[in-house]
């Protein structure tokens, strides 16, 4: 099954995967602590506005709570900024998702995102037909296609004794959905946020 991009969140851990039919020559890079999706050096040029963006950011709220944001587009930045201003996660997700809305491409691709705290997780999606934001207690997925409403997800990284952002990235990259490209993972505890990524789709490919 092809679900496109997807987000998984649970309290303390989250991940984001790029799956792509049209733009597979992409990778995650770390730019000053923000994880960015962009073309590999050998990728054909494109003017598609949706292929490069910050996909994972670490933020601090005004009360110094560490949070991680993951998502599939330019909305990740304003979500992070709202959290830094003290918006609750629900509102920090809803406001930019609604303002930017679904993507104006051939598929009306939804925007998806998650906010992870040490003991909280919130997931959101804006589609042409709706906006859903949910606080969740168990691992939950939302994807751009097919699974475009939040659903429970079996996420082994959330059960690990020591949560590991790199393991979260590798697990979603290896998940059995078509066209894996690259992935980011995040863990959050009282001390802060750890972000990691995995670009080695070949070693996990199922298709
Ligand atoms: N975020 C991304 O990495 C991303 N990659 C591709 N898209 C959009 O989704 C469309 C379909 O892409 P694909 O065939 O790779 O699933 C693309 O034309 C583009 O408009 C994206 N937009 C949202 O997911």
């Amino acid at each position: 099954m092809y679900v496109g991009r997807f987000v998984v969140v649970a309290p303390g851990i989250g991940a984001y995967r790029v799956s792509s039919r049209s733009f597979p020559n992409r990778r995650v890079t770390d730019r000053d602590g923000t994880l960015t999706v962009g073309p590999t050096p050998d990728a054909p040029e494109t003017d598609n506005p949706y292929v490069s963006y910050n996909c994972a950011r670490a933020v601090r709220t005004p009360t110094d709570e560490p949070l991680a944001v993951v998502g599939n587009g330019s909305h990740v930045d304003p979500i992070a900024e709202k959290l830094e201003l003290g918006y609750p996660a629900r509102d920090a997700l809803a406001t930019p998702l609604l303002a930017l809305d679904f993507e104006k491409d051939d598929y009306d691709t939804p925007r998806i995102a998650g906010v992870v705290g040490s003991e909280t997780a919130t997931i959101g999606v804006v589609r042409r037909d709706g906006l859903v934001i949910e606080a969740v207690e168990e691992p939950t997925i939302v994807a751009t296609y097919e699974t475009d409403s939040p659903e429970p997800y079996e996420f082994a990284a959330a059960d690990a004794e020591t949560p590991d952002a790199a393991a979260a990235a590798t697990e979603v990259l290896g998940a059995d959905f078509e066209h894996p490209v690259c992935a980011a993972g995040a863990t959050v505890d009282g001390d802060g946020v750890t972000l990691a990524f995995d670009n080695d789709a070949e070693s996990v490919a199922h298709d």
Side-chain angles (χ1 to χ4, degrees):
M1 179 166 64
Y2 182 63
V3 301
R5 278 60 63 195
F6 65 91
V7 162
V8 177
V9 295
I13 194 160
Y16 170 66
R17 171 170 135 179
V18 178
S19 325
S20 191
R21 300 164 295 205
S22 327
F23 304 99
N25 299 325
R26 286 189 280 171
R27 62 179 178 181
V28 177
T29 53
D30 183 337
R31 291 199 308 192
D32 294 331
T34 289
L35 300 188
T36 298
V37 174
T40 53
D42 58 337
E45 280 202 17
T46 175
D47 57 4
N48 186 301
Y50 303 120
V51 305
S52 299
Y53 51 92
N54 292 333
C55 70
R57 284 184 54 170
V59 300
R60 291 264 172 184
T61 69
T63 56
D64 213 28
E65 185 190 357
L67 297 171
V69 188
V70 291
N72 70 329
S74 57
H75 49 288
V76 167
D77 294 323
I79 291 168
E81 284 156 21
K82 298 291 182 205
L83 293 168
E84 284 171 340
L85 288 171
Y87 281 51
R90 184 197 66 158
D91 302 14
L93 283 163
T95 312
L97 286 177
L98 194 55
L100 290 166
D101 216 325
F102 62 91
E103 296 181 351
K104 309 306 179 296
D105 63 6
D106 292 344
Y107 306 86
D108 293 346
T109 301
R111 288 180 190 265
I112 54 175
V115 175
V116 175
S118 61
E119 286 168 23
T120 59
T122 312
I123 197 161
V125 54
V126 64
R127 307 180 301 257
R128 180 181 263 281
D129 68 345
L131 170 68
V132 182
I133 315 285
E134 272 180 35
V136 299
E137 291 180 357
E138 300 298 330
T140 302
I141 186 172
V142 72
T144 54
Y145 311 126
E146 307 294 337
T147 309
D148 65 359
S149 287
E151 285 184 11
Y153 184 74
E154 268 190 47
F155 193 33
D159 298 328
E161 211 160 294
T162 312
D164 181 336
T170 298
E171 182 177 345
V172 297
L173 190 60
D176 194 8
F177 298 118
E178 290 173 6
H179 305 297
V181 173
C182 54
T187 54
V188 185
D189 63 18
D191 294 332
V193 173
T194 304
L195 301 178
F197 59 91
D198 190 338
N199 288 322
D200 192 5
E202 271 176 28
S203 72
V204 299
H206 293 277
D207 52 321

